[in-house]
Amino acid sequence: MDNRPIGFLDSGVGGLTVVRELMRQLPYEEIIYIGDSARAPYGPRPAQQIRTYTWQLVDFLLTKNVKMIVIACNTATAVVWEEIKEKLDIPVLGVILPGASAAIKSTEAGRIGVIGTPMTVKSDIYRHKIQALSPEMDVTSLACPKFAPLVESNQLNSSLTKKVVYETLQSLTGQVDTLILGCTHYPLLKPIIQNVMGPQVKLIDSGAECVRDISVLLNYFEINRSRDKQELRHRFYTTASAKSFADIAKVWLNRQVDVEHVTL
Amino acid sequence: MDNRPIGFLDSGVGGLTVVRELMRQLPYEEIIYIGDSARAPYGPRPAQQIRTYTWQLVDFLLTKNVKMIVIACNTATAVVWEEIKEKLDIPVLGVILPGASAAIKSTEAGRIGVIGTPMTVKSDIYRHKIQALSPEMDVTSLACPKFAPLVESNQLNSSLTKKVVYETLQSLTGQVDTLILGCTHYPLLKPIIQNVMGPQVKLIDSGAECVRDISVLLNYFEINRSRDKQELRHRFYTTASAKSFADIAKVWLNRQVDVEHVTL
């Protein structure tokens, strides 16, 4: 048993898609979240900068005495997950392996698509992880640089967003039977993405898949939170506007949350 | 990537129920199995003896250069899992936490039954683990000392077995909505147990649940086997008759396996 909170980090609000799934599957765990919206998106930035920023978020979470860190950001996972996991003595999870693993189980034709930020796609990490497990898989990756900024600005269902998603994904339609949403912002656009790709394409939410792994690791390391009556006190932090973050969180988590602005 | 085999140990043939599930979910992993049928069942033995025997099985698996050890035996898990996990520098899984966790998710009325060997029931470990996670759960445990010997003697569907299962489980029927098969031998009696308990009772196969955890930990520790064309060479060892073991394995795994007799 370990009643300390689980720490989540993301370049912005995308990691809330992982938090929502955690609240559903593991409602008794307490959450500390830090989103770096002031510097989002991370996707187009150079790797060294992503590394520095991500370590700042990790260090912030460590001051909050977390028992586990979830890098709820594909870009940061691609660049620096292994390094962080190696250096810390608490479990550190990324979102890429759970997504890759779920896609392999899901695909029937062996044709997997991956959409992500420019950095995630450039790193080619999904192809690398998928083909290491299953060499015969065909993996097609596509950078969607406009998606995360649309989500950060809370345009989840605007006609502009629909147009951008439609135009961006054209080259993938009909090419894959499984599509990895390789950025935690993208599940916020899931209905539009599903509509463009067609109902037969299975969308893999890398963040949701990651929560199943969180559950197993809480068991394995014996650090579940006791389900007593003690009230949970989730805490959310952002490097940008607390109000904007709270607005998106309210819609996405279907609850009011306290958000505090911080400077790193 | 790590192409070494996964090691399984059990007091006898019961762990084959975990192996069957592994072959289904992770067909590209290679298996080394050791069953201590000569000294089965472990359930009625004193804890110190179970501890000694289990360490002998672990040491045997370590000589085979395994990358992970699965204690596919509830009794051994109850007595010595934490100690083995602490001492080895490879991941060590037991079958109890995955089963406890799955039962909590499954139950609607909060009334969970556990059947197991005398030692597993005496240790009260399922109640302990379940109530640590979820204090309000009602847990009823029942020792079934006759079940494992019936399975070891390959009486999976005899009229004696039906009679024994019926008589043993009488006190549980109508009392629980979820029943943990807290001994890896018991899934071999699943149709009979389900028949006695009634179709509305959800049976939790602790071994099958454990395989989901194996998959997550292979990912987390990055020790999956590469899915290349290299042929798998599963190896099974028993301290009793190789022929008896092979007979049960053939029925249960639906394939011919090579079994070698060993003396520990």
Side-chain angles (χ1 to χ4, degrees):
Chain A
M1 291 294 120
D2 187 332
N3 286 349
R4 292 178 297 165
I6 300 175
F8 288 81
L9 69 86
D10 181 44
S11 63
V13 296
L16 290 173
T17 63
V18 189
V19 167
R20 179 164 92 162
E21 192 59 28
L22 185 104
M23 286 174 163
R24 200 182 67 78
Q25 288 188 39
L26 301 169
Y28 46 86
E29 290 292 339
E30 196 170 62
I31 293 157
I32 303 275
Y33 185 103
I34 172 82
D36 195 10
S37 291
R39 300 186 290 198
Y42 280 8
R45 295 183 182 276
Q48 187 50 43
Q49 200 172 44
I50 294 167
R51 185 172 168 272
T52 305
Y53 290 178
T54 306
W55 268 110
Q56 288 174 352
L57 300 175
V58 168
D59 289 337
F60 175 82
L61 289 174
L62 291 176
T63 68
K64 302 294 179 186
N65 196 25
V66 295
K67 65 183 170 186
M68 171 187 274
I69 286 180
V70 180
I71 304 180
C73 171
N74 281 266
T75 307
T77 302
V79 174
V80 73
W81 170 59
E82 299 198 355
E83 180 186 321
I84 296 170
K85 189 174 92 159
E86 187 134 322
K87 289 233 171 114
L88 301 193
D89 56 5
I90 55 174
V92 179
L93 274 84
V95 284
I96 288 175
L97 272 173
S101 193
I104 292 171
K105 279 181 197 141
S106 154
T107 185
E108 284 172 24
R111 300 182 68 84
I112 298 171
V114 181
I115 55 176
T117 66
M119 174 54 82
T120 301
V121 168
K122 191 177 145 214
S123 77
D124 216 16
I125 190 163
Y126 272 103
R127 183 201 311 276
H128 179 73
K129 297 293 184 191
I130 290 169
Q131 292 186 340
L133 288 166
S134 202
E136 74 285 4
M137 292 284 160
D138 186 78
V139 182
T140 308
S141 304
L142 180 68
C144 305
K146 293 179 181 167
F147 287 12
L150 285 166
V151 172
E152 284 290 326
S153 60
N154 204 6
Q155 294 195 60
L156 305 185
N157 207 22
S158 72
S159 54
L160 172 64
T161 301
K162 285 177 187 163
K163 184 169 172 287
V164 166
V165 173
Y166 179 80
E167 286 175 359
T168 309
L169 297 183
Q170 271 315 297
S171 67
L172 273 181
T173 56
Q175 303 303 309
V176 299
D177 70 353
T178 296
L179 180 65
I180 298 174
L181 306 181
C183 170
T184 52
H185 286 70
Y186 299 176
L188 288 134
L189 306 174
K190 199 167 175 180
I192 305 177
I193 295 171
Q194 188 80 67
N195 197 36
V196 174
M197 294 304 295
Q200 75 289 353
V201 173
K202 179 86 184 287
L203 302 187
I204 303 292
D205 178 342
S206 56
E209 297 300 330
C210 164
V211 174
R212 253 159 262 162
D213 289 26
I214 293 172
S215 171
V216 169
L217 291 173
L218 289 173
N219 274 343
Y220 182 74
F221 292 111
E222 299 180 90
I223 52 173
N224 287 284
R225 188 173 199 277
S226 170
R227 297 185 198 191
D228 51 23
K229 304 295 176 200
Q230 221 182 338
E231 211 180 325
L232 296 177
R233 198 176 144 244
H234 303 310
R235 280 157 288 169
F236 296 83
Y237 300 90
T238 175
T239 56
S241 155
K243 187 181 175 312
S244 295
F245 189 102
D247 287 347
I248 295 176
K250 191 179 172 190
V251 172
W252 189 247
L253 302 178
N254 200 22
R255 67 174 79 184
Q256 199 84 42
V257 299
D258 286 331
V259 186
E260 199 177 308
H261 171 81
V262 288
T263 309
L264 295 178
Chain B
M1 291 294 120
D2 188 332
N3 286 349
R4 292 178 298 165
I6 299 175
F8 289 80
L9 68 86
D10 181 44
S11 63
V13 296
L16 290 174
T17 64
V18 189
V19 167
R20 180 165 91 161
E21 192 58 27
L22 185 102
M23 286 175 163
R24 200 181 66 78
Q25 286 188 42
L26 301 170
Y28 46 87
E29 291 292 339
E30 195 171 64
I31 293 157
I32 302 277
Y33 185 103
I34 172 83
D36 195 11
S37 291
R39 301 186 290 198
Y42 279 9
R45 296 182 179 277
Q48 187 50 43
Q49 200 171 43
I50 294 167
R51 185 172 168 272
T52 306
Y53 291 178
T54 306
W55 268 110
Q56 289 174 351
L57 300 176
V58 167
D59 289 337
F60 175 82
L61 288 174
L62 291 176
T63 67
K64 301 295 180 188
N65 195 24
V66 295
K67 64 182 172 188
M68 171 187 273
I69 285 180
V70 180
I71 303 180
C73 171
N74 281 268
T75 307
T77 301
V79 174
V80 73
W81 170 60
E82 299 198 355
E83 179 185 322
I84 296 170
K85 189 174 91 158
E86 187 134 322
K87 289 232 171 114
L88 300 194
D89 56 5
I90 54 174
V92 179
L93 274 84
V95 284
I96 288 174
L97 272 173
S101 193
I104 293 171
K105 279 181 198 145
S106 154
T107 184
E108 284 171 24
R111 300 182 69 84
I112 298 171
V114 181
I115 53 176
T117 66
M119 172 55 81
T120 301
V121 168
K122 190 178 146 212
S123 76
D124 216 16
I125 190 162
Y126 272 104
R127 182 201 312 276
H128 179 74
K129 297 293 183 190
I130 289 169
Q131 292 184 340
L133 288 168
S134 201
E136 75 284 4
M137 292 283 158
D138 186 78
V139 181
T140 308
S141 303
L142 181 68
C144 304
K146 293 178 181 168
F147 287 12
L150 285 167
V151 173
E152 285 288 327
S153 60
N154 206 5
Q155 293 194 61
L156 305 185
N157 207 22
S158 71
S159 54
L160 171 65
T161 301
K162 284 177 188 163
K163 183 168 173 288
V164 166
V165 173
Y166 179 80
E167 286 174 2
T168 309
L169 297 184
Q170 271 314 297
S171 67
L172 273 183
T173 56
Q175 303 302 309
V176 299
D177 70 353
T178 296
L179 180 64
I180 298 174
L181 307 181
C183 171
T184 51
H185 287 71
Y186 298 176
L188 288 135
L189 306 175
K190 198 168 176 180
I192 304 177
I193 295 171
Q194 187 79 66
N195 196 36
V196 174
M197 294 305 294
Q200 75 290 355
V201 173
K202 177 89 185 283
L203 303 186
I204 303 291
D205 178 342
S206 56
E209 297 300 331
C210 163
V211 174
R212 251 159 264 161
D213 290 27
I214 294 173
S215 171
V216 169
L217 291 173
L218 290 174
N219 275 343
Y220 183 74
F221 292 111
E222 299 180 272
I223 53 172
N224 287 283
R225 189 173 200 276
S226 170
R227 297 185 198 190
D228 51 24
K229 304 297 175 199
Q230 221 181 337
E231 212 179 325
L232 296 177
R233 199 176 145 243
H234 303 311
R235 279 157 288 170
F236 295 84
Y237 300 89
T238 175
T239 56
S241 154
K243 187 181 173 315
S244 295
F245 189 102
D247 286 347
I248 295 177
K250 191 179 171 189
V251 172
W252 189 249
L253 302 178
N254 200 22
R255 66 174 80 185
Q256 198 84 43
V257 298
D258 285 332
V259 186
E260 200 175 309
H261 171 79
V262 287
T263 310
L264 295 178

